Amino acid sequence: MDFDPLMLARVQFALTAGTHFLFVALTLGLATLVALMQTRATLARGGAAVVRARMVRFWGQLYVVNYAVGIVTGLVMEFQFGLNWGGMSSLVGEVFGAPLAMETIAAFFIESTFLGLWIFGWDRLNRWVHLGLIWVVTLTAYASAYFILVANGWLQRPVGHVMEGGSARLVDVGALLGNPTAVLAFGHVLFGGLLTAGFFMAGVSAFHLLRRTAEVEFFRRSVRVGLVAVVVSVFPVVVFGGMQFAYLQPTKGGATEQGLAEQARFVERFGPGDYLPPGLATVGEVVMMATWGLMALVAVAGLVKLPFGRWLVRGRVFHVVLLVAVPLPYVAMLAGWVFREVGRQPWMVYGVLKAEDALSKVDPGWITASFVVFTVLMAVLTVVNGWLLARFARRGPQGVQLGAAPPAGSAAESAPALTPTF
């Protein structure tokens, strides 16, 4: 059976990038919530400090699990640029690769280094130093997401470059970094991550409250934090998303007056062809907005219940709703990603480079083989991550290993700590 190498390469990147983004969204949101919880725990005293410190460890452990597996999915995704999209690297690699290099050097290395210090610094570092570590991790995670979106934003709206000698050369760094398609998308993703983490935290807490856990105070506080995150982020998500429509490619609207006019300009410039995106882009837009509407309803219900702690603990039907709603932000993000990326087709770089011209000149068998290997690998990683998150979440705070005291009589126990973290 013959397969279209271009379609295989596109579907492969869609699967790997979409899967990786699911990890990124939860990582961004959980990092923020964990940093805020640790700030409150550091400032608190007495019984409240103990509960909040346990919350940091529990939710921090889930964050670390998601981050660790997400790193592997990111590495898998990076291989595709050289493997399947050699034409893109040759023509626009200088511009497209610049923000990716900044993400790796200035953001990812710092983020991973300070996260390691945070993980192994429990009860060994001064509590303010330890708090500073998680905030560095959070801020560099934001920087990492921003640089990635700068690269993607340039694919959507290529600015700050000139074509010389058959390749793109960067001439305006400010235009690249300030590209509205990147800046607005960053705000959209930032609040989207917070929304994802909020639903995740509220859903896990609701699961334990449904089981009538003995940790009522722990999960009452946790479900409150999750609901506050949902309420705070659900409307900014749609605001930043709506603002991006001012910078949409004319063809993204399909066979509209603007879309057909752009189609005619492309035919005149690049020759005959279909320059309108597939209908799947419109489907993604519809699903995204419908899912957001459902999340907004849950947010309104949460806003009504937030002032009443008793309702948060005893609202059995509401707990079921929160548990079922956990996948909603994931569905909305994937649908929005389909709208953004499929709507750019047939372009790899809008108005500059077609996807068919960006494809590597390799044997189609290699592309088929990489499609199978990468798809299976990403599926396995996704299943493993879901299993690990469910396992540690189900155990509750009693099963937390992050920052746990070493076994009695161990060398680590005998080593003096600088000061308690909390």
Side-chain angles (χ1 to χ4, degrees):
M1 182 181 296
D2 294 329
F3 296 99
D4 180 5
L6 176 60
M7 182 56 67
L8 279 180
R10 286 178 54 195
V11 173
Q12 177 182 331
F13 195 85
L15 291 174
T16 53
T19 302
H20 176 63
F21 186 59
L22 298 181
F23 290 86
V24 171
L26 185 58
T27 293
L28 280 176
L30 275 183
T32 306
L33 295 182
V34 170
L36 290 171
M37 285 188 291
Q38 184 163 345
T39 301
R40 296 190 66 189
T42 304
L43 294 173
R45 293 291 182 271
V50 175
V51 175
R52 289 170 181 167
R54 295 180 69 223
M55 289 172 62
V56 174
R57 294 177 188 265
F58 176 70
W59 298 109
Q61 178 167 277
L62 296 179
Y63 159 69
V64 170
V65 168
N66 188 77
Y67 177 88
V69 182
I71 289 299
V72 182
T73 64
L75 294 175
V76 171
M77 187 179 68
E78 292 290 338
F79 283 118
Q80 292 177 96
F81 290 120
L83 184 64
N84 291 345
W85 304 106
M88 176 184 176
S89 301
S90 300
L91 186 67
V92 299
E94 177 181 330
V95 182
F96 181 71
L100 295 181
M102 288 187 280
E103 186 272 336
T104 301
I105 297 172
F108 171 68
F109 283 166
I110 298 176
E111 179 186 5
S112 56
T113 299
F114 277 77
L115 178 59
L117 292 172
W118 183 76
I119 293 173
F120 296 106
W122 290 90
D123 298 325
R124 291 175 173 82
L125 297 175
N126 177 277
R127 60 178 180 168
W128 297 105
V129 172
H130 197 252
L131 174 63
L133 292 175
I134 191 61
W135 276 112
V136 172
V137 169
T138 302
L139 295 177
T140 49
Y142 291 161
S144 180
Y146 168 70
F147 285 128
I148 292 294
L149 290 170
V150 166
N152 181 265
W154 188 78
L155 300 181
Q156 307 285 338
R157 184 174 179 265
V159 296
H161 76 283
V162 295
M163 300 299 297
E164 289 184 354
S167 61
R169 183 171 65 87
L170 182 62
V171 294
D172 190 342
V173 177
L176 178 69
L177 298 179
N179 194 344
T181 56
V183 175
L184 294 175
F186 174 69
H188 189 59
V189 168
L190 190 154
F191 282 104
L194 193 61
L195 186 65
T196 304
F199 271 104
F200 177 79
M201 185 175 290
V204 172
S205 301
F207 168 77
H208 283 278
L209 291 174
L210 275 170
R211 297 174 66 190
R212 301 188 184 278
T213 176
E215 298 278 358
V216 173
E217 180 62 16
F218 182 96
F219 286 109
R220 182 190 69 80
R221 290 176 180 267
S222 293
V223 76
R224 182 183 293 275
V225 172
L227 285 176
V228 169
V230 169
V231 170
V232 167
S233 56
V234 69
F235 291 104
V237 161
V238 76
V239 170
F240 277 103
M243 292 171 67
Q244 294 180 70
F245 278 79
Y247 299 94
L248 286 184
Q249 301 93 337
T251 54
K252 218 165 220 174
T256 61
E257 181 179 350
Q258 287 183 324
L260 293 175
E262 187 81 337
Q263 161 84 3
R265 284 192 291 269
F266 283 148
V267 169
E268 181 180 354
R269 181 180 174 188
F270 296 98
D274 184 6
Y275 297 95
L276 296 179
L280 182 61
T282 303
V283 174
E285 180 183 13
V286 172
V287 172
M288 174 183 62
M289 296 305 297
T291 311
W292 178 85
L294 293 175
M295 292 189 292
L297 291 176
V298 177
V300 171
L303 185 62
V304 172
K305 286 180 171 290
L306 272 174
F308 307 99
R310 181 172 58 86
W311 288 11
L312 292 178
V313 173
R314 300 181 182 178
R316 311 287 290 176
V317 175
F318 187 57
H319 293 162
V320 174
V321 170
L322 291 180
L323 189 56
V324 174
V326 171
L328 289 180
Y330 290 106
V331 174
M333 285 186 300
L334 284 179
W337 183 85
V338 167
F339 174 63
R340 180 179 176 91
E341 300 304 311
V342 175
R344 189 176 72 244
Q345 293 301 316
W347 300 101
M348 178 61 75
V349 183
Y350 187 77
V352 175
L353 177 66
K354 291 183 180 179
E356 61 187 50
D357 297 324
L359 192 66
S360 296
K361 308 302 181 184
V362 298
D363 189 296
W366 285 107
I367 295 180
T368 303
S370 71
F371 173 82
V372 173
V373 172
F374 279 45
T375 301
V376 171
L377 181 57
M378 296 300 279
V380 169
L381 290 173
T382 302
V383 171
V384 168
N385 186 67
W387 176 74
L388 288 173
L389 287 177
R391 181 185 182 189
F392 286 109
R394 187 168 53 247
R395 286 180 176 180
Q398 298 89 349
V400 171
Q401 298 175 357
L402 180 66
S410 67
E413 184 187 52
S414 60
L418 296 180
T419 59
T421 304
F422 300 109

